[in-house]
């Protein structure tokens, strides 16, 4: 993946983030762009639930519906995600021989071989989810590709934070308007 292509992909992802405040739409576009630009089998973005115990599917691209709906990832059962939620970036050349995977049989049926998992952070510190990319063949990811994925993960976290703040402000504005309306009556 050349630098020009990387910069163009980052530009396209940034445009997608700026085009909407709907998290599902933005994250789906990011997953698609990452998978297609890096010639990957798929990309999955999972966000932590309120308890911090489950990673729920939020957006994906290139994976079968069966794999997408295999179930939530229980953080306590996924050593990979436990490490990533602490801030680590994991690159596994062959998941078929890695016992940290929670759904190894489903991954094998899907034809997944190599994996990179990165944390999604909000405000640069709080981990709110993970970005996973899959290759259907054994692949070593270059430092340049890992830097690209880190940039995408950071942009994804920023997009989520912006959308959440927008919706919180919108709700606060609606409540303030309701209060003013009642006081004026």
């Amino acid at each position: 993946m050349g630098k020009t292509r990387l910069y163009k992909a980052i530009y396209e992802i940034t445009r997608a983030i700026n085009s909407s405040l709907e998290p599902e739409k933005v994250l789906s576009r990011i997953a698609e762009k990452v998978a297609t630009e890096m010639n990957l089998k798929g990309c999955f973005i999972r966000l932590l639930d309120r308890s911090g115990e489950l990673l729920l599917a939020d957006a994906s691209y290139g994976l079968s519906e069966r794999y997408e709906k295999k179930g939530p990832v229980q953080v306590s059962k996924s050593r990979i995600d436990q490490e990533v939620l602490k801030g680590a970036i994991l690159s596994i050349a062959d998941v078929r021989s890695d016992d940290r995977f929670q759904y190894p049989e489903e991954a094998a049926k899907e034809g997944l071989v190599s994996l990179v998992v990165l944390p999604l952070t909000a405000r640069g510190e709080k981990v709110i989810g993970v970005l996973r990319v899959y290759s259907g063949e054994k692949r070593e990811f270059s430092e340049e590709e890992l830097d690209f994925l880190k940039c995408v993960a950071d942009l994804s976290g920023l997009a989520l934070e912006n959308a959440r703040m927008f919706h919180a402000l919108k709700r606060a504005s609606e409540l303030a308007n309701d209060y003013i309306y009642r006081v004026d009556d």
Side-chain angles (χ1 to χ4, degrees):
M1 191 170 185
K3 284 185 179 183
T4 302
R5 191 171 176 181
L6 282 174
Y7 290 132
K8 186 176 179 187
I10 290 170
Y11 173 72
E12 294 290 330
I13 289 169
T14 304
R15 286 185 60 194
I17 290 170
N18 286 332
S19 69
S20 175
L21 287 169
E22 297 301 323
E24 297 84 15
K25 186 177 179 181
V26 171
L27 293 179
S28 291
R29 184 72 180 127
I30 290 171
E32 177 186 356
K33 200 69 186 165
V34 168
T36 56
E37 289 298 324
M38 294 184 72
N39 297 319
L40 296 168
K41 181 161 182 67
C43 178
F44 216 144
I45 297 174
R46 291 183 172 270
L47 301 178
L48 276 172
D49 71 346
R50 291 185 187 270
S51 71
E53 297 174 5
L54 295 176
L55 283 164
L56 306 174
D58 214 81
S60 67
Y61 181 82
L63 303 169
S64 70
E65 188 175 330
R66 176 190 50 80
Y67 190 77
E68 290 175 355
K69 294 183 177 182
K70 67 184 181 318
V73 173
Q74 295 177 10
V75 175
S76 63
K77 292 183 179 178
S78 174
R79 292 187 331 215
I80 290 172
D81 291 303
Q82 289 172 19
E83 292 178 43
V84 172
L85 291 173
K86 291 178 183 172
I89 297 172
L90 291 184
S91 180
I92 300 171
D94 193 342
V95 297
R96 297 172 295 188
S97 60
D98 194 298
D99 66 349
R100 296 176 291 177
F101 221 67
Q102 184 180 351
Y103 295 105
E105 293 163 10
E106 287 81 1
K109 287 178 188 172
E110 188 72 13
L112 306 178
V113 179
S114 294
L115 167 74
V116 177
V117 189
L118 304 99
L120 297 181
T121 57
R123 285 175 254 141
E125 55 191 54
K126 181 182 175 189
V127 179
I128 58 173
V130 298
L131 171 74
R132 292 172 173 242
V133 298
Y134 305 93
S135 173
E137 56 198 38
K138 195 169 184 176
R139 178 173 172 174
E140 296 285 338
F141 290 86
S142 70
E143 284 298 316
E144 194 171 75
E145 289 174 319
L146 293 175
D147 286 344
F148 169 74
L149 290 170
K150 176 73 175 124
C151 180
V152 170
D154 289 345
L155 288 171
S156 300
L158 180 66
L160 286 169
E161 194 64 18
N162 285 345
R164 287 178 178 164
M165 288 184 352
F166 170 77
H167 290 292
L169 286 172
K170 183 178 174 186
R171 180 72 182 135
S173 175
E174 291 168 353
L175 289 173
N177 288 338
D178 286 348
Y179 176 75
I180 291 169
Y181 179 73
R182 287 183 195 149
V183 170
D184 288 343
D185 282 345

